[in-house]
Amino acid sequence: MQNSSSTEKFSQEMNKHFQPQEVEREIYAEWEKSGTFQADSSSPHPAFSMVIPPPNVTGVLHLGHAWNHTLQDILARYHRMRGKDVLWLPGTDHAGIATQTRVEKMLMQENGQSRHDIGRTAFVEKVWEWKDKYGSAITEQIRRLGDSVDWSRERFTMDEGLSQAVRTVFVELYQKGLIYRGNRIINWCSRCGTALSDIEVEHIELPGKLYHIRYPLKDGSGEVVIATTRPETFFADVAVAVHPNDERYSSLIGKTVILPLSGREIPILADPIVDREYGTGCVKITPAHDPNDFEVGLRHQLPQLQCIGSDGKLNELAMEFAGRNALEARQDVVDVLRKQGYLLHVTDIVHAVGHCSRCSTVVDPLLSLQWFVRMQNLADPALQFVHRGELQFVPARFEKVFVHWLENVKDWCISRQLWWGHRIPAWYCDDCGGTTVQLEDATCCGHCKSTHIHQDEDVLDTWFSSALWPFSTLGWPDTDTPDYQKYYPTSVLVTAYDIIFFWVARMVFMGLEFTGQMPFQTVVLHGLIRDSEGRKMSKSLGNGVDPIEIIEQYGADTLRFCLATGTSPGNDQRFSMEKIEGSRNFMNKLWNAARFVRMNLSDSFQARTIEWDKLDIADRWILHRLAKANKSAQRLLEEFEFGEAARVLYDFAWDDFCDWYIEMAKISLYGESIVDKERVQTVLYEVLQQLLQMLHPFIPFITEEIWSYLPQRNGQLLVASDWPQIQQAWIDDTCDTLMGSIQEAIRSVRNIRSERNIPPSREISLLIRPLSVEAMERFQQGQYYIQKLCHASQLENKMDIEPPSQAIALAVSGAEIFIPLAGLIDLAAEKNRLEQEKRRWQQEIERIDKKFSNPNFLARAPQEVVEAEKIKREDYEARLSAVEERLRAVAAMEQ
């Protein structure tokens, strides 16, 4: 792939600082133009395929999206560089209730109209207009993140082809008896006027009350006391339940109680669902308003009375409270129960209350006529595949979570009382009452042929269409398409663990039911983004972070690398601006290193073949570390250890390359030997080139920009280059050990210079006394670097060295190092400085001791303050001891 801009850049000087805001959009446009992101189903290369978890078309990407997309892009770019034919398919979800709510709000704000004012057809047209106008915002944000997706295959869950797949699945499941219509308990939002999926319900811990109400026995022999958080629903009670093994109530089973206020008679029955430890051990059974009670009602064939309607108001069953909002009427119901002697007492509690995630209305469990999928028949095959190991979870612990859900699955409510979404393909006959379900729009009743029919008003749950995403996006139900044949099943799904049930499970059982295969081989799960204190990010806490704002200020690479390095499979990640700053510092470090290398390569530079036997110890060491980093990064990426892979490359780039090898390279670059200079230039070029290739999946923009400045690129884009091969011949553990000794010696001497305030410009003498012949030979190979990097005027390396009396002794691995101090420091000035430092620490210790001798301080100060002062005193004592030791050393030198 040719990059015209890169051919212009490699002869230019790199800017002093990397400016992501100036180049990222240009670079992404160049990538798109090159066609590198496009998969080729006719390619002989093996496939690697992923589908993007489709973000809602309603708005902006949040930090969780940025994390998820970063991990996917790392995989896509890595496998593309490894020679795979990569398909990373992008797209968006129509997001039924979320989008409808957004457009309804817009209509009301702009025209003061509701959807009912303009009608269904006009409203749906408005939603499509809104989607076309604002939906492109999400795709622009995906580009800003740097996602290397195949835009030529972009999909939307309500595209014509995907809509056909949705209808096909609905009709086939209905014909198999796996979809049915019936009355069951569902989550209901009275504000939005629709059933909700579990994921659309946000459970919030709130203070509440537990009301203890007495229900008199019909025979007058006593009463039972039930405890409930929802006394307004007792009008629809049909029974009282106790645990079969609860001896307190065993004699009451089969008797009848009188329902307060209404006077209705209801039975006392036994059911194991009752928790004997909660409340009184007696519970009211209200099948139409509680999912557990609904199941009890089915087991005991109880009636299903309903006292709250779809509008959230009490109905005529609630007598004088009819027509009032159920929540608002709760206190009045309680007051009447108290007045008539039925309310015994009230307990304060904290409990989770379900709220609609779109409008924050408290959700009602409600008995409603809806469409459902029979889940057991679909869950069983999925369980068998998982047990056979045909679906891998990373981390593996989530397999148990997945299996547990499948083993306890309940029927899935798939109908929504909305206007935006896939319309349910069911038509009802006004004459015979029959239901017709078919692929094409019905023109007459399938039973009596009457033309007096009407289509179901409801649409399907958004998760119904997204459950088909891995195969509907590849052309299914047509399985002969090149894309379906090559890229299905997909290779990997990367998503957050919080939708393992809502999306992952549904894709699995739909994939098995309609393709006979798992839709993906591996599910990689990451956690949730939290703030620096571990709190969930939310609007109410004001701790949310807009990833686009981070990109605008710091660049996409800084955000990506921060998120990547914070990744541990399956675990949440704490986000902080300090981590962003650290990531930005790494970008600067890499840019400065590349700029140094580029400044030391001529425009006509030609890389030479690296001849191992002509390299010195530093060259062999950095190439060894490069090969090891490559090997580790590949292994970790294959194991989906994104954070560890990023840290391996970070450590190599920052520590090995920048802090050590570049410093060592300067000695040859600025020396007089042309041969040494050319040798080091070749190694620098090779290491930087491979480092950019390995870092590219993580930080694609800055690596591509640096790449464009390198000579010999001939316009080839980094994104289209291959991952560097691991050079086994470069792996030399003996060399690594040898360099470790040299680095230890250099660090030790530098530390002493810092402690003794010996300026870098002041040269010193070094004496190395090896403890063995092997150690002597080891230090001989690196003594040139030790001398230069320690600013030593001379260095001796002998086993029989006799150090001078005035010398600092350092113990390092395999040797002793002596630094003669004669004439090196002004003993009088050093003694004076140390005396001042000694007095400082003595005064700090005395200050703390005065606090501790003050009874008021010990009595009133918080324990953490006292502990902090103790820690400070220990630190000051250690500092004082070190100063006194240095004073004794100075005194010895004066003698």
Side-chain angles (χ1 to χ4, degrees), residues 859-870:
R860 297 175 182 176
Q863 185 61 33
E864 58 267 24
V865 173
V866 175
E867 290 300 322
E869 290 297 311
K870 288 181 179 178

Side-chain angles (χ1 to χ4, degrees), residues 839-868:
R839 284 193 294 273
R840 176 190 172 191
W841 300 127
Q842 287 174 333
Q843 289 170 358
E844 290 292 341
I845 292 170
E846 289 173 2
R847 180 184 60 80
I848 292 176
D849 287 345
K850 284 182 180 179
K851 281 188 176 182
F852 287 156
S853 64
N854 184 345
N856 290 331
F857 172 76
L858 295 175
R860 297 175 182 176
Q863 185 61 33
E864 58 267 24
V865 173
V866 175
E867 290 300 322

Side-chain angles (χ1 to χ4, degrees), residues 265-382:
E265 298 179 12
I266 57 176
I268 299 175
L269 53 85
D271 194 280
I273 199 172
V274 179
D275 182 355
R276 286 177 284 183
E277 305 302 320
Y278 182 77
T280 64
C282 276
V283 296
K284 59 197 284 297
I285 302 299
T286 320
H289 298 294
D290 184 275
N292 292 325
D293 292 3
F294 178 77
E295 299 297 332
V296 173
L298 292 180
R299 284 195 291 272
H300 296 273
Q301 298 180 328
L302 299 173
Q304 298 172 336
L305 301 183
Q306 192 167 335
C307 67
I308 301 175
S310 59
D311 57 1
K313 296 179 180 180
L314 292 166
N315 61 21
E316 64 279 359
L317 202 62
M319 302 179 298
E320 71 265 30
F321 301 101
R324 298 186 58 188
N325 178 277
L327 281 178
E328 294 173 359
R330 176 180 294 172
Q331 187 56 50
D332 291 337
V333 171
V334 169
D335 290 342
V336 173
L337 288 170
R338 181 184 287 111
K339 184 177 181 180
Q340 295 192 13
Y342 292 109
L343 181 68
L344 297 182
H345 62 276
V346 181
T347 306
D348 290 328
I349 61 170
V350 175
H351 61 156
V353 179
H355 291 70
C356 174
S357 62
R358 303 301 170 188
C359 69
S360 299
T361 300
V362 174
V363 169
D364 290 314
L366 200 67
L367 186 67
S368 182
L369 181 62
Q370 303 284 345
W371 286 91
F372 295 88
V373 175
R374 297 187 196 279
M375 291 298 301
Q376 198 62 55
N377 299 62
L378 299 173
D380 287 345

